[in-house]
Amino acid sequence: MTVKIGIMGYGNLGKGLEYAIMQNSDLELAAVFTRRDPKTVSIITQNVKVYHADDVFDFQDKIDVLILCTSSAYDLPKQTARYASAFNVVDSFDTHAKIPEHFKAVDIAAKNADKTAVIAAGWDPGMFSLNRLYAQAILPDGDSCTFWGKGISQGHSDAIRHIANVKDARQYTIPKEEALKQVRSGSFENLGIRQKHLRECFVVIDETKLCDDEKSVDILKNEIEHKIKSMPDYFDKYDTKVHFISEEDLIKKHSGMPHGGFVFHCGTTGKNRENRHIIEYSLKLDSNPEFTASILAAYARAAYRLNKDGVSGAKTVFDIAPAYIINKTGEELRSTIL
Amino acid sequence: MTVKIGIMGYGNLGKGLEYAIMQNSDLELAAVFTRRDPKTVSIITQNVKVYHADDVFDFQDKIDVLILCTSSAYDLPKQTARYASAFNVVDSFDTHAKIPEHFKAVDIAAKNADKTAVIAAGWDPGMFSLNRLYAQAILPDGDSCTFWGKGISQGHSDAIRHIANVKDARQYTIPKEEALKQVRSGSFENLGIRQKHLRECFVVIDETKLCDDEKSVDILKNEIEHKIKSMPDYFDKYDTKVHFISEEDLIKKHSGMPHGGFVFHCGTTGKNRENRHIIEYSLKLDSNPEFTASILAAYARAAYRLNKDGVSGAKTVFDIAPAYIINKTGEELRSTIL
């Protein structure tokens, strides 16, 4: 029995999903949908075709779960509910503040269609959220703390690219070692924004704007650096390092999409709360989109199984028993992993 | 709405559970049961009584969930199924190899009585198992590896105590730093038993057996050390350190029950599996029984809710959606933790 998967959107996330499906023997890629001209999109799975996104509703009988790999910020707020009215769907919607309204809209659409829609299934929200929940449920008298990185922040990189005379840029969010050390020792105090993370930027100046005069170049660099460091919310509350490098070096050394982070929870137990317990969960990811895609694949399995069990509506990782996401029976799980 | 809890067994785990219940506003201690004379057992919760274990079946209307804090090795194999025929129950059965048969026996009893029985809810099995499952579901092309410690192994401490002329002993299981470092770098190769853990023993010699002659004392110490290090399975496959200390020092420095450990999973993704991802989960616990008890308390909440939802039979942490174990609504979880 295989679960037939449709991929909506074939960017980094969609590609990662195609690879993830290849690693799961019970998942099968049925079709890829794109808003581009399908002829211009080539995929690696043999005998599977690329279709235009507009044609997806013709595939209701051919797809068990449609996984949405479009933009979380711009597409999912409208798309997930729309597709949940015809398909079991999974998305990695990641705007934390807007999850409640997204959940509501998707829940109504999915319930009306007897479909199962898993939303916000990535690593944060997602795996990090699960670790926060388990830790807080077990040790309610405690504090949680999340760090992100070392990894590329797409939003911050984009913000730098919008500065005049900047050709390209990458921004790494980096947890501060002192803060990690402090938290590992059980102290969560005085950890403000500046104390937790460092921002490191690699910037390529638009060469056509450069004159030969070294002094002018220095002035331009100072100007850009100042603009970055004073950018409200994005950088002004952080310690920020700026490096100017060549376009060649940016491509060579900073083209990957690594990411990761840490979830800590420190709680106390005992008659007088004298015993302390520290829970740490961490991810070190070579490829943020491929890891996220792997989570989407596992939760597509869950969406399919839940729907077969008669469960419909919007679900998050909190609502789904772990056994639903893995390709093993209960007996296998109890005798091998438990 | 509070969940009325009965505690069966009032040793370290039962005491830890009493503290845990005090930290959860939706849980309420209803009664404690012991095989000792109830008059000899005093608890700290006011207005709650201690009863003899034999009287527990009179409490079917007064208890929502009975949590079993008796011996995992000697009591639970018989007790859990027996009590599941009358109560929703939670246990921390931890003999990995016997979980499948324990599950089956408890499942039959609980289903016949329309009760919900959560078994093997601790940290290993339990939280560690969950982390193995989530990691393997997401990154099926990968390896998992579990380390235990630094912490007291009750079984190994007992084994040393059974050696002639040993009055008391504590054994710490310690993950080897080199092995942790290797695994964190993504290499799981050549990690045999000896490579992963170190065993450190603190031994008190029975003073009545000591003569004043220093040479005889040294011979005795050598003899005991040899007996420890050559003990089949317990020590012979490990690097083992033995320290002889005074009874006073053992009590002063080694009376706690710390434990912990690490679950690692390293998996690859990508077209040619060129991207590597490392997931690490770790626990540093001041009190093994109190942390385990805190998990039991959270899963008691789940057992109660599942039973209200009409779900009966044996369940493990794999079968229970995370939202069931925490004292928050779905809306709260989505807006605060997700």
Side-chain angles (χ1 to χ4, degrees), chain B residues 99-299:
Chain B
I99 285 174
E101 63 181 283
H102 187 62
F103 183 91
K104 266 182 211 160
V106 174
D107 193 44
I108 292 167
K111 276 195 179 131
N112 280 340
D114 288 326
K115 297 296 181 189
T116 310
V118 180
I119 66 150
W123 56 271
D124 196 2
M127 291 302 116
F128 274 16
S129 323
L130 279 172
N131 275 280
R132 289 187 285 259
L133 185 152
Y134 278 114
Q136 292 176 27
I138 295 166
L139 299 173
D141 181 29
D143 293 303
S144 292
C145 180
T146 302
F147 290 83
W148 297 271
K150 181 181 179 177
I152 294 278
S153 164
Q154 216 53 60
H156 289 79
S157 301
D158 280 344
I160 301 172
R161 283 186 207 110
H162 279 97
I163 293 171
N165 303 317
V166 168
K167 190 173 182 190
D168 203 353
R170 295 283 189 291
Q171 193 270 178
Y172 291 91
T173 306
I174 306 171
K176 286 193 175 178
E177 278 302 327
E178 314 88 85
L180 291 175
K181 205 175 155 189
Q182 181 191 320
V183 166
R184 279 200 188 102
S185 77
S187 161
F188 285 56
E189 274 171 26
N190 302 318
L191 283 177
I193 289 176
R194 193 178 297 277
Q195 283 71 43
K196 286 179 68 186
H197 295 93
L198 181 77
R199 298 202 174 277
E200 191 167 23
C201 316
F202 293 87
V203 181
V204 178
I205 296 179
D206 187 347
E207 281 175 21
T208 61
K209 305 291 166 64
L210 286 178
C211 20
D212 295 330
D213 165 16
E214 253 191 53
K215 267 198 188 164
S216 321
V217 174
D218 281 346
I219 290 170
L220 184 62
K221 285 183 177 174
N222 281 336
E223 206 178 277
I224 292 174
E225 182 164 344
H226 176 75
K227 278 184 185 163
I228 294 173
K229 289 186 172 177
S230 59
M231 208 182 289
D233 298 325
Y234 278 84
F235 293 100
D236 65 339
K237 295 180 181 63
Y238 296 86
D239 290 342
T240 301
K241 283 185 191 170
V242 179
H243 310 276
F244 292 94
I245 61 172
S246 67
E247 188 168 22
E248 197 189 346
D249 270 3
L250 190 83
I251 292 168
K252 208 166 108 188
K253 297 178 186 165
H254 304 285
S255 282
M257 279 174 285
H259 220 310
F262 303 81
V263 176
F264 291 93
H265 185 80
C266 180
T268 55
T269 62
K271 193 174 174 183
N272 303 304
R273 304 190 170 179
E274 64 276 21
N275 289 315
R276 200 171 62 182
H277 312 283
I278 299 172
I279 304 173
E280 175 176 347
Y281 177 80
S282 73
L283 296 175
K284 284 187 191 64
L285 312 174
D286 274 357
S287 165
N288 184 357
E290 287 180 10
F291 187 73
T292 302
S294 298
I295 298 170
L296 290 173
Y299 277 95

Side-chain angles (χ1 to χ4, degrees), chain A residues 227-271:
Chain A
K227 279 185 185 163
I228 293 172
K229 290 187 172 176
S230 59
M231 208 182 288
D233 298 325
Y234 278 83
F235 292 100
D236 65 339
K237 295 180 182 64
Y238 297 86
D239 290 341
T240 301
K241 283 186 193 170
V242 178
H243 310 275
F244 292 94
I245 61 173
S246 68
E247 187 167 21
E248 197 189 344
D249 269 5
L250 190 83
I251 292 168
K252 207 166 110 189
K253 296 178 186 166
H254 305 284
S255 282
M257 279 172 285
H259 221 310
F262 303 80
V263 176
F264 291 93
H265 186 79
C266 179
T268 56
T269 62
K271 193 174 173 182

Side-chain angles (χ1 to χ4, degrees), chain A residues 25-313:
Chain A
S25 60
D26 62 331
L27 306 182
E28 182 191 324
L29 182 60
V32 171
F33 302 90
T34 177
R35 279 171 296 195
R36 290 175 274 170
D37 177 354
K39 282 181 211 141
T40 67
V41 176
S42 63
I43 64 173
I44 58 167
T45 311
Q46 303 221 321
N47 306 319
V48 174
K49 286 184 183 167
V50 180
Y51 302 88
H52 195 274
D54 293 344
D55 298 331
V56 68
F57 291 99
D58 299 338
F59 285 78
Q60 290 188 52
D61 299 336
K62 302 182 190 83
I63 287 173
D64 295 315
V65 184
L66 183 67
I67 303 182
L68 308 180
C69 298
T70 49
S71 160
S72 174
Y74 303 107
D75 299 318
L76 297 179
K78 287 183 180 176
Q79 284 185 357
T80 310
R82 193 165 141 243
Y83 293 130
S85 68
F87 298 95
N88 299 314
V89 298
V90 183
D91 81 18
S92 55
F93 184 75
D94 64 2
T95 313
H96 290 262
K98 292 185 179 167
I99 285 174
E101 63 180 283
H102 187 62
F103 182 91
K104 267 182 210 160
V106 174
D107 193 44
I108 292 167
K111 276 193 181 135
N112 280 338
D114 288 325
K115 298 296 180 187
T116 310
V118 180
I119 66 151
W123 57 272
D124 196 1
M127 291 300 116
F128 275 15
S129 323
L130 279 172
N131 276 280
R132 288 187 286 261
L133 186 151
Y134 278 115
Q136 292 176 28
I138 296 166
L139 299 173
D141 180 28
D143 293 302
S144 293
C145 180
T146 303
F147 290 84
W148 297 270
K150 182 182 178 175
I152 294 279
S153 164
Q154 215 53 60
H156 289 79
S157 301
D158 279 343
I160 300 171
R161 283 186 208 109
H162 278 95
I163 294 172
N165 303 318
V166 168
K167 189 172 184 189
D168 204 352
R170 295 284 188 291
Q171 192 270 179
Y172 292 92
T173 306
I174 305 171
K176 286 193 175 177
E177 278 303 328
E178 315 88 87
L180 291 175
K181 205 174 156 189
Q182 181 191 321
V183 166
R184 279 199 188 102
S185 77
S187 161
F188 285 55
E189 275 171 26
N190 302 319
L191 283 177
I193 288 175
R194 192 177 298 277
Q195 283 72 45
K196 285 178 68 186
H197 295 94
L198 180 77
R199 298 203 174 276
E200 191 166 24
C201 316
F202 294 88
V203 181
V204 179
I205 296 180
D206 188 345
E207 281 175 22
T208 61
K209 305 292 165 63
L210 286 178
C211 20
D212 294 330
D213 165 16
E214 250 189 56
K215 267 196 188 164
S216 322
V217 174
D218 281 347
I219 291 171
L220 184 62
K221 285 184 178 174
N222 282 336
E223 207 178 277
I224 292 173
E225 183 164 345
H226 175 76
K227 279 185 185 163
I228 293 172
K229 290 187 172 176
S230 59
M231 208 182 288
D233 298 325
Y234 278 83
F235 292 100
D236 65 339
K237 295 180 182 64
Y238 297 86
D239 290 341
T240 301
K241 283 186 193 170
V242 178
H243 310 275
F244 292 94
I245 61 173
S246 68
E247 187 167 21
E248 197 189 344
D249 269 5
L250 190 83
I251 292 168
K252 207 166 110 189
K253 296 178 186 166
H254 305 284
S255 282
M257 279 172 285
H259 221 310
F262 303 80
V263 176
F264 291 93
H265 186 79
C266 179
T268 56
T269 62
K271 193 174 173 182
N272 303 305
R273 304 188 171 179
E274 64 276 20
N275 289 315
R276 200 173 62 183
H277 312 282
I278 299 172
I279 303 173
E280 176 175 346
Y281 177 79
S282 74
L283 296 175
K284 283 187 191 64
L285 312 174
D286 274 357
S287 166
N288 183 357
E290 287 179 11
F291 187 72
T292 302
S294 299
I295 298 170
L296 290 173
Y299 278 94
R301 177 183 292 126
Y304 174 78
R305 291 175 174 178
L306 284 166
N307 195 260
K308 287 274 172 213
D309 285 356
V311 176
S312 68

